[in-house]
Amino acid sequence: MLRNERIDAAVAVGADPRLRAVVVYLLALFVFTLPIEELVFLPGLGSLTRLVGLVTMPLALLALVEGGRVRFRVPTFFWLASAVFVLWNVLSYFWSVDPSRTLGPAITSVQLLIFVWLVSEFCRSTGTLAVLMQAFVLGNYASLAVAMFLLFQATGAARATGRDPNEFATVLALGIPIAAWLVARGGGGVFRVLNIAYPVFVVLGIVLSASRGGLLVAVVALLAIPFMIAGMGVVRRLVLGVLLTAAVALAFSAVPRLFPQLHANLDRLGDVGVELTEGTLTGRTLIWREGVRIFQSSPLVGVGLGAASPLYAETMLGRERVAHNTFLQIATETGGVGVVLFLVMIVLAAVGTVNMHRSFRPFALILLAAMVVGMMPLSIGTKKFTWFALALVANQAPVVMTVAHGRRPSLADRVGGSPRDRGHRDAQSA
């Protein structure tokens, strides 16, 4: 039968809990590097993210050994849907108009699937997922610190964020519902302060990037703030309100005075309404029109993963492009079949929220909504942070196929149950 799997230590496998804990923290390190992936490269190895992934995989397999056998958890439907989508991506190599361009993205898709499996296998408890969420927030702080460093340099220029400014702003914005989620979950200390203050720094990051797409994602993500402060006292609500107001004032008035090059950023952000209603979305509508034509040339299976970009050079655009829309990018590369499979992944992630504890459900839904908004102007279907956000939501209360037996789990067994039960589960699954 189908059910939403509640989190308890009884479903965990593996002979050595300590080794499993090491894998969880390696996954957290992997997630921490996602916002700074393009900033740190190691000679001969590539990005720090890749190195962490290479170390994590063999340890994960060792952690699953029990009684001389490798034992896996029952796969979630989200993971199975991800596997089918990745398989379709890989198969597109055989009908790709340029197989040499398809090979690299196909390998990346397999790596993304492995990451989703690792999260599904080792992080189905509230505590382990919280570790990953906290790592993502801290990684965004590190990314913002790099952007600030570049700004303080004498040669620093507007939108110098160390990576694509649109992706930089989108990743920052996606951290808002995650940080709010962690605040609502409870706990104290330095991490709580950082999580509460996080939206303040995102405002500054949006100005640094001048990303209008990132601004729209942030607007959606900020809907998590009312849910975050619902459990706070009046004094803390007032303090947070003052901080947010001060951040907006600082970002839009004081900062441009200190850094005149940011005036252009503010002007760009101020044009978002005009661009949405009267403009071409920085030329995106022209790209979308040509992308639709490419899709119409092979609507069912596409032209091959990663092989669509050169085809834009044969259009009126005159040079290689990406679709600047995740769904259109998937449609041109892997056809209508690919789009349907990707949508199934999103739907299955959303279905898991139905059985999530009501106090945490809004954060998951807002995170998904912000992600979809971010997909509209960007081609981020094969980005690690996209798959992390989907896997994070999907594994809070994952839908699995299993044989029902024993008692039906109570409400306290759900993700975000009572603090006492949650702490007991976290201690067992650590």
Side-chain angles (χ1 to χ4, degrees):
M1 64 176 291
L2 301 182
R3 68 179 175 90
N4 282 77
E5 185 183 16
R6 275 67 167 195
I7 309 304
D8 54 69
V11 297
V13 295
D16 191 346
R18 292 172 297 181
L19 187 55
R20 292 182 64 87
V22 169
V23 174
V24 170
Y25 283 106
L26 281 174
L27 282 173
L29 179 58
F30 182 91
V31 171
F32 172 83
T33 65
L34 296 185
I36 58 174
E37 180 179 10
E38 299 179 13
L39 304 177
V40 182
F41 282 87
L42 304 174
L45 294 173
S47 67
L48 179 60
T49 306
R50 181 183 180 186
L51 175 62
V52 175
L54 291 174
V55 173
T56 303
M57 189 60 191
L59 288 177
L61 291 176
L62 285 175
L64 295 176
V65 174
E66 180 181 5
R69 298 175 58 187
V70 178
R71 305 175 69 89
F72 301 100
R73 275 179 159 172
V74 177
T76 68
F77 272 86
F78 174 79
W79 186 87
L80 292 175
S82 302
V84 175
F85 177 65
V86 169
L87 177 62
W88 183 253
N89 286 344
V90 173
L91 289 176
S92 72
Y93 175 88
F94 297 101
W95 61 77
S96 173
V97 298
D98 189 348
S100 64
R101 284 181 173 265
T102 299
L103 183 59
I107 294 174
T108 298
S109 293
V110 174
Q111 293 171 340
L112 290 171
L113 180 63
I114 293 174
F115 171 64
V116 170
W117 169 71
L118 287 171
V119 173
S120 175
E121 190 71 35
F122 291 91
C123 302
R124 290 193 204 176
S125 74
T126 311
T128 51
L129 287 168
V131 170
L132 301 191
M133 289 190 283
Q134 190 64 71
F136 187 72
V137 172
L138 295 177
N140 274 320
Y141 268 114
S143 176
L144 184 58
V146 171
M148 289 298 298
F149 172 78
L150 294 175
L151 183 65
F152 275 102
Q153 285 186 319
T155 57
R159 309 195 78 192
T161 58
R163 63 181 300 179
D164 178 84
N166 295 306
E167 288 189 11
F168 167 83
T170 297
V171 175
L172 277 180
L174 292 176
I176 294 176
I178 293 176
W181 196 336
L182 290 168
V183 172
R185 184 174 181 269
V190 176
F191 288 156
R192 182 174 177 82
V193 174
L194 290 174
N195 294 331
I196 292 175
Y198 181 78
V200 175
F201 290 95
V202 171
V203 174
L204 177 60
I206 296 297
V207 174
L208 291 177
S209 67
S211 171
R212 290 178 288 214
L215 176 61
L216 294 177
V217 177
V219 169
V220 176
L222 285 169
L223 294 175
I225 299 301
F227 297 99
M228 180 182 78
I229 66 177
M232 294 183 179
V234 176
V235 174
R236 289 185 177 180
R237 293 185 191 183
L238 289 175
V239 170
L240 183 59
V242 170
L243 286 175
L244 284 174
T245 303
V248 173
L250 183 66
F252 288 92
S253 60
V255 171
R257 293 177 184 176
L258 296 173
F259 306 99
Q261 64 268 43
L262 293 182
H263 280 292
N265 291 24
L266 293 175
D267 292 339
R268 192 174 191 275
L269 291 173
D271 291 338
V272 64
V274 175
E275 195 67 31
L276 284 173
T277 57
E278 302 176 14
T280 62
L281 303 179
T282 321
R284 283 180 173 82
T285 56
L286 303 177
I287 298 173
W288 294 344
R289 182 175 62 191
E290 300 303 329
V292 170
R293 293 178 181 175
I294 295 173
F295 166 69
Q296 290 173 340
S297 68
S298 182
L300 184 62
V301 299
V303 299
L305 184 66
S309 296
L311 300 182
Y312 284 94
E314 303 173 7
T315 69
M316 62 174 292
L317 299 174
R319 63 187 181 93
E320 292 190 16
R321 296 277 191 173
V322 294
H324 282 288
N325 179 284
T326 298
F327 301 102
L328 183 57
Q329 185 81 21
I330 295 173
T332 57
E333 294 182 349
T334 56
V337 174
V339 173
V340 170
L341 293 175
F342 189 68
L343 287 173
V344 169
M345 289 175 56
I346 296 176
V347 170
L348 285 174
V351 166
T353 66
V354 173
N355 211 45
M356 193 180 298
H357 193 273
R358 62 180 179 272
S359 62
F360 292 89
R361 189 180 301 127
F363 302 105
L365 292 175
I366 291 170
L367 177 58
L368 282 178
M371 174 61 68
V372 171
V373 170
M375 290 176 180
M376 294 299 106
L378 295 175
S379 298
I380 54 176
T382 56
K383 295 294 183 177
K384 295 181 181 68
F385 64 84
T386 301
W387 285 58
F388 166 67
L390 291 174
L392 178 63
V393 175
N395 283 283
Q396 292 289 340
V399 181
V400 301
M401 178 176 288
T402 186
V403 177
H405 62 278
R407 71 174 181 87
R408 180 178 177 83
S410 65
L411 181 64
D413 291 323
R414 298 184 184 183
V415 171
S418 67
R420 183 181 63 183
D421 294 335
R422 189 179 65 222
H424 178 64
R425 289 196 309 270
D426 294 350
Q428 286 183 310
S429 57

